[in-house]
Amino acid sequence: MSFDLVLFGGTGDLAWRKLMPALFQAFRHGSLPAGGRILGVARDALDDSQYRALIRSRFNEVELAKRPSPEEFDRFAAMLHFLRMDLSQPQDYQRLADKLRERNADIVVMYLATAPSLFTVACEQLAAAGLNTENTRLVLEKPLGHDLASNRAINETVRSVLSEKQIFRIDHYLGKPSVQNLFALRFGNALFEPLWRRETIANIQITIAEDLGVEKRGAFYDSTGALRDMVQNHALQLLCALAMEPPINAHADAIRDEKLKVLRSLKPWTPQALGPDVIRGQYMSGKMGGEIVPGYRDEPGVNPQSMTETFVALRAEIANWRWAGVPFYIRTGKRLAARDARIVVNFRPAPHAIFHSPLGAANRLIIHLQPKDGLELHLLAQGQDNRQARSAQSLTPVHLDLDFDKRFGSERVGAYERLLLDVIDGRLNLFVRSDEQEEAWRWVEPIMESWRNDPSGPRPYAAGTWGPSAASAMIARDGHCWNEEC
Ligand code: BG6
């Protein structure tokens, strides 16, 4: 099968940081179908060989194990081509059409790795140039809009030129092996299903903590914030994977229908809940790895009076039979104490205590997403067999530890590699449908609205900590604590 992958934003940050390394890995693993061409598109005045030289130099910033040898790069680079285009110019799309006609590939993937403000014009112009044929697949990067209305506007334009099955909305968290394992855990194993409900689960915590700050993306981030950047998409997709009903099969729409039901069941915000149940924070200067790092407002590209949140913690509930009353706590932020994404499922304590168990010890399933990928099942066991322990009937916390990196090797297919191959194969399972996205925006909008009307702004937290103390107070109100605090 031949394919053309047109990479709009071909010299941009995403292209060289994520997409080119992922394409190279797919090439190295022999999974990229032969007969492919990757066509970088941007406004820069480059020819093919200059583009290849640019990509080659960028590979020096990729981790060593994922860097091509000179010989490997030469073979990979034979696929790389470049076309100079200004996305606002209709005649440039004609030139693209001519270029694609040279080969008439079986599949043409248009990957919009550009600013979202260009999505609408690019789609309209691709259609005007006749580039929305049956064999076209369109990939859209997040953020898709900045609120419900702008998201809908983009989706309407896109759907007016292509059918839903040709549209691949990326949420790269769904491409992570650890997230696919979450689906495997829930729907490939019967063990937890009877326990996966309100009767046995006390609360679920989703943490996506980053130790990095905003890096070079200050200007973008300052107009986005953690709610739009992480909660509306990645965190809610994780919540869907955790809370959805088993789909009738593994087809894309069967999975997406169930995720959509979760989003629709999220308890709507009331003005009373918005204050205590949603905490926003912004990092100040602090110590990380022994060094002082600047506060958010001192980062390049950030407004020195910025009110943008770099941290969000919230308490959600899903109003359905399975989950009524179970709090789902979501927490994400930049410059936190560690890079650590994990889901913690806290089970209810034994209904009647005949043993003495240490305070806070409970049955708990920890699903590590990154940097570690694995499962920990926490139980209580009879430990030391000494007289004191026997007479006190006291139990000790122990855990089973399943390390997927060790079991499967840490060189598993990365998120972007997997997702790019899925686009080429036409598999939509790990992509987000427009109605899911809209529902997620609908749910976060009241939060954005309440923040707009609240001059108090985000709460400060020192870089290198777990965020504002109000996030701990929020969860403590329910008698629970964040995993690292218990
Ligand atoms: C992106 C966000 O979607 O996800 C970034 O825009 C964030 O701000 C990144 O850093 C986190 O992804 P990962 O794979 O490093 O957890």
Side-chain angles (χ1 to χ4, degrees), residues 183 186-188 244-259 261 322 429 433:
F183 286 96
R186 288 210 52 212
F187 308 125
M244 67 194 262
E245 294 300 316
I248 53 165
N249 57 37
H251 293 154
D253 277 334
I255 296 169
R256 295 172 339 162
D257 287 347
E258 296 304 337
K259 287 197 287 165
K261 279 193 220 158
R322 190 189 281 266
N429 296 35
R433 211 167 52 192

PDB file of all heavy atoms in Angstrom, residues 183 186-188 244-259 261 322 429 433:
ATOM      1  N   PHE A 183      -7.288  -0.454  29.131  1.00  0.00           N
ATOM      2  CA  PHE A 183      -8.411  -1.107  28.437  1.00  0.00           C
ATOM      3  C   PHE A 183      -8.280  -2.628  28.563  1.00  0.00           C
ATOM      4  O   PHE A 183      -9.259  -3.325  28.786  1.00  0.00           O
ATOM      5  CB  PHE A 183      -8.446  -0.710  26.957  1.00  0.00           C
ATOM      6  CG  PHE A 183      -8.932   0.705  26.725  1.00  0.00           C
ATOM      7  CD1 PHE A 183      -8.038   1.747  26.563  1.00  0.00           C
ATOM      8  CD2 PHE A 183     -10.281   0.984  26.669  1.00  0.00           C
ATOM      9  CE1 PHE A 183      -8.479   3.051  26.354  1.00  0.00           C
ATOM     10  CE2 PHE A 183     -10.740   2.288  26.463  1.00  0.00           C
ATOM     11  CZ  PHE A 183      -9.834   3.320  26.304  1.00  0.00           C
ATOM     12  N   ARG A 186      -9.285  -3.802  32.029  1.00  0.00           N
ATOM     13  CA  ARG A 186     -10.723  -3.783  32.301  1.00  0.00           C
ATOM     14  C   ARG A 186     -11.505  -4.751  31.423  1.00  0.00           C
ATOM     15  O   ARG A 186     -12.441  -5.389  31.885  1.00  0.00           O
ATOM     16  CB  ARG A 186     -11.272  -2.366  32.093  1.00  0.00           C
ATOM     17  CG  ARG A 186     -10.850  -1.414  33.185  1.00  0.00           C
ATOM     18  CD  ARG A 186     -11.891  -0.342  33.400  1.00  0.00           C
ATOM     19  NE  ARG A 186     -13.217  -0.896  33.602  1.00  0.00           N
ATOM     20  CZ  ARG A 186     -14.335  -0.302  33.218  1.00  0.00           C
ATOM     21  NH1 ARG A 186     -14.298   0.854  32.608  1.00  0.00           N
ATOM     22  NH2 ARG A 186     -15.514  -0.867  33.442  1.00  0.00           N
ATOM     23  N   PHE A 187     -11.146  -4.854  30.147  1.00  0.00           N
ATOM     24  CA  PHE A 187     -12.019  -5.593  29.234  1.00  0.00           C
ATOM     25  C   PHE A 187     -11.408  -6.892  28.700  1.00  0.00           C
ATOM     26  O   PHE A 187     -12.048  -7.606  27.936  1.00  0.00           O
ATOM     27  CB  PHE A 187     -12.473  -4.682  28.082  1.00  0.00           C
ATOM     28  CG  PHE A 187     -13.066  -3.397  28.596  1.00  0.00           C
ATOM     29  CD1 PHE A 187     -12.582  -2.160  28.182  1.00  0.00           C
ATOM     30  CD2 PHE A 187     -14.089  -3.424  29.535  1.00  0.00           C
ATOM     31  CE1 PHE A 187     -13.117  -0.981  28.684  1.00  0.00           C
ATOM     32  CE2 PHE A 187     -14.628  -2.248  30.047  1.00  0.00           C
ATOM     33  CZ  PHE A 187     -14.140  -1.021  29.619  1.00  0.00           C
ATOM     34  N   GLY A 188     -10.163  -7.179  29.126  1.00  0.00           N
ATOM     35  CA  GLY A 188      -9.564  -8.452  28.733  1.00  0.00           C
ATOM     36  C   GLY A 188      -9.490  -9.401  29.918  1.00  0.00           C
ATOM     37  O   GLY A 188      -9.139 -10.563  29.773  1.00  0.00           O
ATOM     38  N   MET A 244     -16.095   3.708  31.854  1.00  0.00           N
ATOM     39  CA  MET A 244     -17.036   3.272  30.813  1.00  0.00           C
ATOM     40  C   MET A 244     -17.528   1.841  31.036  1.00  0.00           C
ATOM     41  O   MET A 244     -16.878   1.045  31.725  1.00  0.00           O
ATOM     42  CB  MET A 244     -16.384   3.389  29.426  1.00  0.00           C
ATOM     43  CG  MET A 244     -15.246   2.445  29.209  1.00  0.00           C
ATOM     44  SD  MET A 244     -14.266   2.896  27.752  1.00  0.00           S
ATOM     45  CE  MET A 244     -14.966   1.785  26.536  1.00  0.00           C
ATOM     46  N   GLU A 245     -18.674   1.544  30.457  1.00  0.00           N
ATOM     47  CA  GLU A 245     -19.190   0.171  30.465  1.00  0.00           C
ATOM     48  C   GLU A 245     -18.411  -0.638  29.434  1.00  0.00           C
ATOM     49  O   GLU A 245     -17.870  -0.068  28.475  1.00  0.00           O
ATOM     50  CB  GLU A 245     -20.680   0.173  30.085  1.00  0.00           C
ATOM     51  CG  GLU A 245     -21.571   0.848  31.105  1.00  0.00           C
ATOM     52  CD  GLU A 245     -21.492   0.175  32.475  1.00  0.00           C
ATOM     53  OE1 GLU A 245     -21.514  -1.063  32.533  1.00  0.00           O
ATOM     54  OE2 GLU A 245     -21.382   0.893  33.489  1.00  0.00           O
ATOM     55  N   PRO A 246     -18.371  -1.965  29.590  1.00  0.00           N
ATOM     56  CA  PRO A 246     -17.678  -2.763  28.572  1.00  0.00           C
ATOM     57  C   PRO A 246     -18.342  -2.559  27.203  1.00  0.00           C
ATOM     58  O   PRO A 246     -19.563  -2.659  27.102  1.00  0.00           O
ATOM     59  CB  PRO A 246     -17.894  -4.201  29.059  1.00  0.00           C
ATOM     60  CG  PRO A 246     -18.204  -4.067  30.517  1.00  0.00           C
ATOM     61  CD  PRO A 246     -18.889  -2.754  30.695  1.00  0.00           C
ATOM     62  N   PRO A 247     -17.555  -2.222  26.178  1.00  0.00           N
ATOM     63  CA  PRO A 247     -18.158  -2.046  24.848  1.00  0.00           C
ATOM     64  C   PRO A 247     -18.569  -3.394  24.254  1.00  0.00           C
ATOM     65  O   PRO A 247     -18.038  -4.425  24.672  1.00  0.00           O
ATOM     66  CB  PRO A 247     -17.015  -1.420  24.038  1.00  0.00           C
ATOM     67  CG  PRO A 247     -15.765  -1.781  24.746  1.00  0.00           C
ATOM     68  CD  PRO A 247     -16.105  -2.008  26.185  1.00  0.00           C
ATOM     69  N   ILE A 248     -19.489  -3.371  23.284  1.00  0.00           N
ATOM     70  CA  ILE A 248     -19.955  -4.658  22.751  1.00  0.00           C
ATOM     71  C   ILE A 248     -18.877  -5.338  21.907  1.00  0.00           C
ATOM     72  O   ILE A 248     -18.882  -6.545  21.743  1.00  0.00           O
ATOM     73  CB  ILE A 248     -21.274  -4.539  21.938  1.00  0.00           C
ATOM     74  CG1 ILE A 248     -21.133  -3.475  20.850  1.00  0.00           C
ATOM     75  CG2 ILE A 248     -22.447  -4.278  22.858  1.00  0.00           C
ATOM     76  CD1 ILE A 248     -22.228  -3.546  19.814  1.00  0.00           C
ATOM     77  N   ASN A 249     -17.965  -4.575  21.341  1.00  0.00           N
ATOM     78  CA  ASN A 249     -16.819  -5.159  20.639  1.00  0.00           C
ATOM     79  C   ASN A 249     -15.699  -4.117  20.627  1.00  0.00           C
ATOM     80  O   ASN A 249     -15.845  -3.067  21.259  1.00  0.00           O
ATOM     81  CB  ASN A 249     -17.210  -5.626  19.217  1.00  0.00           C
ATOM     82  CG  ASN A 249     -17.782  -4.492  18.388  1.00  0.00           C
ATOM     83  OD1 ASN A 249     -17.331  -3.348  18.482  1.00  0.00           O
ATOM     84  ND2 ASN A 249     -18.794  -4.789  17.579  1.00  0.00           N
ATOM     85  N   ALA A 250     -14.625  -4.436  19.928  1.00  0.00           N
ATOM     86  CA  ALA A 250     -13.473  -3.522  19.986  1.00  0.00           C
ATOM     87  C   ALA A 250     -13.467  -2.526  18.828  1.00  0.00           C
ATOM     88  O   ALA A 250     -12.440  -1.938  18.521  1.00  0.00           O
ATOM     89  CB  ALA A 250     -12.187  -4.335  20.010  1.00  0.00           C
ATOM     90  N   HIS A 251     -14.604  -2.359  18.169  1.00  0.00           N
ATOM     91  CA  HIS A 251     -14.636  -1.402  17.060  1.00  0.00           C
ATOM     92  C   HIS A 251     -14.689   0.031  17.590  1.00  0.00           C
ATOM     93  O   HIS A 251     -15.202   0.290  18.684  1.00  0.00           O
ATOM     94  CB  HIS A 251     -15.826  -1.676  16.145  1.00  0.00           C
ATOM     95  CG  HIS A 251     -15.695  -2.985  15.427  1.00  0.00           C
ATOM     96  ND1 HIS A 251     -16.763  -3.700  14.985  1.00  0.00           N
ATOM     97  CD2 HIS A 251     -14.598  -3.718  15.121  1.00  0.00           C
ATOM     98  CE1 HIS A 251     -16.340  -4.828  14.432  1.00  0.00           C
ATOM     99  NE2 HIS A 251     -15.018  -4.851  14.497  1.00  0.00           N
ATOM    100  N   ALA A 252     -14.166   0.923  16.758  1.00  0.00           N
ATOM    101  CA  ALA A 252     -14.010   2.317  17.203  1.00  0.00           C
ATOM    102  C   ALA A 252     -15.315   2.884  17.758  1.00  0.00           C
ATOM    103  O   ALA A 252     -15.334   3.457  18.847  1.00  0.00           O
ATOM    104  CB  ALA A 252     -13.510   3.155  16.041  1.00  0.00           C
ATOM    105  N   ASP A 253     -16.412   2.722  17.034  1.00  0.00           N
ATOM    106  CA  ASP A 253     -17.627   3.386  17.499  1.00  0.00           C
ATOM    107  C   ASP A 253     -18.210   2.733  18.733  1.00  0.00           C
ATOM    108  O   ASP A 253     -18.828   3.411  19.563  1.00  0.00           O
ATOM    109  CB  ASP A 253     -18.663   3.502  16.369  1.00  0.00           C
ATOM    110  CG  ASP A 253     -18.345   4.725  15.511  1.00  0.00           C
ATOM    111  OD1 ASP A 253     -17.711   5.664  16.045  1.00  0.00           O
ATOM    112  OD2 ASP A 253     -18.697   4.732  14.322  1.00  0.00           O
ATOM    113  N   ALA A 254     -17.995   1.439  18.887  1.00  0.00           N
ATOM    114  CA  ALA A 254     -18.494   0.768  20.096  1.00  0.00           C
ATOM    115  C   ALA A 254     -17.770   1.352  21.316  1.00  0.00           C
ATOM    116  O   ALA A 254     -18.384   1.632  22.352  1.00  0.00           O
ATOM    117  CB  ALA A 254     -18.263  -0.732  19.994  1.00  0.00           C
ATOM    118  N   ILE A 255     -16.477   1.567  21.183  1.00  0.00           N
ATOM    119  CA  ILE A 255     -15.691   2.132  22.292  1.00  0.00           C
ATOM    120  C   ILE A 255     -16.084   3.598  22.510  1.00  0.00           C
ATOM    121  O   ILE A 255     -16.323   4.043  23.634  1.00  0.00           O
ATOM    122  CB  ILE A 255     -14.184   2.019  21.979  1.00  0.00           C
ATOM    123  CG1 ILE A 255     -13.781   0.536  21.900  1.00  0.00           C
ATOM    124  CG2 ILE A 255     -13.349   2.759  23.008  1.00  0.00           C
ATOM    125  CD1 ILE A 255     -12.400   0.284  21.353  1.00  0.00           C
ATOM    126  N   ARG A 256     -16.194   4.310  21.415  1.00  0.00           N
ATOM    127  CA  ARG A 256     -16.465   5.746  21.553  1.00  0.00           C
ATOM    128  C   ARG A 256     -17.876   6.009  22.069  1.00  0.00           C
ATOM    129  O   ARG A 256     -18.103   6.954  22.826  1.00  0.00           O
ATOM    130  CB  ARG A 256     -16.169   6.446  20.230  1.00  0.00           C
ATOM    131  CG  ARG A 256     -14.676   6.306  19.970  1.00  0.00           C
ATOM    132  CD  ARG A 256     -14.038   6.711  18.698  1.00  0.00           C
ATOM    133  NE  ARG A 256     -14.657   6.876  17.462  1.00  0.00           N
ATOM    134  CZ  ARG A 256     -14.094   7.574  16.451  1.00  0.00           C
ATOM    135  NH1 ARG A 256     -12.966   8.185  16.602  1.00  0.00           N
ATOM    136  NH2 ARG A 256     -14.667   7.665  15.301  1.00  0.00           N
ATOM    137  N   ASP A 257     -18.815   5.132  21.716  1.00  0.00           N
ATOM    138  CA  ASP A 257     -20.186   5.291  22.252  1.00  0.00           C
ATOM    139  C   ASP A 257     -20.169   5.196  23.775  1.00  0.00           C
ATOM    140  O   ASP A 257     -20.841   5.955  24.467  1.00  0.00           O
ATOM    141  CB  ASP A 257     -21.113   4.188  21.718  1.00  0.00           C
ATOM    142  CG  ASP A 257     -21.472   4.405  20.250  1.00  0.00           C
ATOM    143  OD1 ASP A 257     -21.219   5.515  19.742  1.00  0.00           O
ATOM    144  OD2 ASP A 257     -21.995   3.453  19.623  1.00  0.00           O
ATOM    145  N   GLU A 258     -19.386   4.234  24.296  1.00  0.00           N
ATOM    146  CA  GLU A 258     -19.358   4.051  25.750  1.00  0.00           C
ATOM    147  C   GLU A 258     -18.640   5.208  26.443  1.00  0.00           C
ATOM    148  O   GLU A 258     -19.037   5.636  27.522  1.00  0.00           O
ATOM    149  CB  GLU A 258     -18.707   2.710  26.123  1.00  0.00           C
ATOM    150  CG  GLU A 258     -19.463   1.482  25.655  1.00  0.00           C
ATOM    151  CD  GLU A 258     -20.910   1.427  26.145  1.00  0.00           C
ATOM    152  OE1 GLU A 258     -21.229   2.066  27.166  1.00  0.00           O
ATOM    153  OE2 GLU A 258     -21.733   0.758  25.490  1.00  0.00           O
ATOM    154  N   LYS A 259     -17.569   5.698  25.810  1.00  0.00           N
ATOM    155  CA  LYS A 259     -16.868   6.841  26.421  1.00  0.00           C
ATOM    156  C   LYS A 259     -17.798   8.060  26.461  1.00  0.00           C
ATOM    157  O   LYS A 259     -17.840   8.802  27.444  1.00  0.00           O
ATOM    158  CB  LYS A 259     -15.599   7.173  25.624  1.00  0.00           C
ATOM    159  CG  LYS A 259     -14.483   6.151  25.819  1.00  0.00           C
ATOM    160  CD  LYS A 259     -13.137   6.685  25.372  1.00  0.00           C
ATOM    161  CE  LYS A 259     -13.039   6.753  23.873  1.00  0.00           C
ATOM    162  NZ  LYS A 259     -11.946   7.559  23.380  1.00  0.00           N
ATOM    163  N   LYS A 261     -20.969   8.105  26.750  1.00  0.00           N
ATOM    164  CA  LYS A 261     -21.975   7.984  27.819  1.00  0.00           C
ATOM    165  C   LYS A 261     -21.398   8.444  29.154  1.00  0.00           C
ATOM    166  O   LYS A 261     -22.088   9.047  29.963  1.00  0.00           O
ATOM    167  CB  LYS A 261     -22.434   6.526  27.946  1.00  0.00           C
ATOM    168  CG  LYS A 261     -23.467   6.129  26.932  1.00  0.00           C
ATOM    169  CD  LYS A 261     -24.077   4.804  27.356  1.00  0.00           C
ATOM    170  CE  LYS A 261     -24.287   3.927  26.151  1.00  0.00           C
ATOM    171  NZ  LYS A 261     -24.368   2.512  26.477  1.00  0.00           N
ATOM    172  N   ARG A 322     -23.622   2.652  38.173  1.00  0.00           N
ATOM    173  CA  ARG A 322     -22.350   2.061  38.575  1.00  0.00           C
ATOM    174  C   ARG A 322     -21.569   2.965  39.530  1.00  0.00           C
ATOM    175  O   ARG A 322     -20.899   2.497  40.441  1.00  0.00           O
ATOM    176  CB  ARG A 322     -21.505   1.758  37.333  1.00  0.00           C
ATOM    177  CG  ARG A 322     -20.262   0.926  37.631  1.00  0.00           C
ATOM    178  CD  ARG A 322     -19.334   0.833  36.445  1.00  0.00           C
ATOM    179  NE  ARG A 322     -19.744  -0.138  35.447  1.00  0.00           N
ATOM    180  CZ  ARG A 322     -19.320  -1.402  35.384  1.00  0.00           C
ATOM    181  NH1 ARG A 322     -18.469  -1.852  36.279  1.00  0.00           N
ATOM    182  NH2 ARG A 322     -19.729  -2.202  34.424  1.00  0.00           N
ATOM    183  N   ASN A 429      -9.868   3.416  16.511  1.00  0.00           N
ATOM    184  CA  ASN A 429     -10.131   3.090  17.926  1.00  0.00           C
ATOM    185  C   ASN A 429      -9.537   4.080  18.919  1.00  0.00           C
ATOM    186  O   ASN A 429     -10.137   4.375  19.931  1.00  0.00           O
ATOM    187  CB  ASN A 429      -9.530   1.722  18.293  1.00  0.00           C
ATOM    188  CG  ASN A 429     -10.163   0.624  17.533  1.00  0.00           C
ATOM    189  OD1 ASN A 429     -10.525   0.825  16.378  1.00  0.00           O
ATOM    190  ND2 ASN A 429     -10.326  -0.519  18.143  1.00  0.00           N
ATOM    191  N   ARG A 433     -13.868  11.039  18.855  1.00  0.00           N
ATOM    192  CA  ARG A 433     -14.945  11.472  17.956  1.00  0.00           C
ATOM    193  C   ARG A 433     -15.390  12.886  18.334  1.00  0.00           C
ATOM    194  O   ARG A 433     -15.217  13.302  19.469  1.00  0.00           O
ATOM    195  CB  ARG A 433     -16.108  10.477  18.096  1.00  0.00           C
ATOM    196  CG  ARG A 433     -16.919  10.280  16.865  1.00  0.00           C
ATOM    197  CD  ARG A 433     -17.834   9.084  16.974  1.00  0.00           C
ATOM    198  NE  ARG A 433     -18.653   9.096  18.173  1.00  0.00           N
ATOM    199  CZ  ARG A 433     -19.354   8.050  18.602  1.00  0.00           C
ATOM    200  NH1 ARG A 433     -19.341   6.919  17.934  1.00  0.00           N
ATOM    201  NH2 ARG A 433     -20.083   8.130  19.691  1.00  0.00           N
TER     202      ARG A 433
END
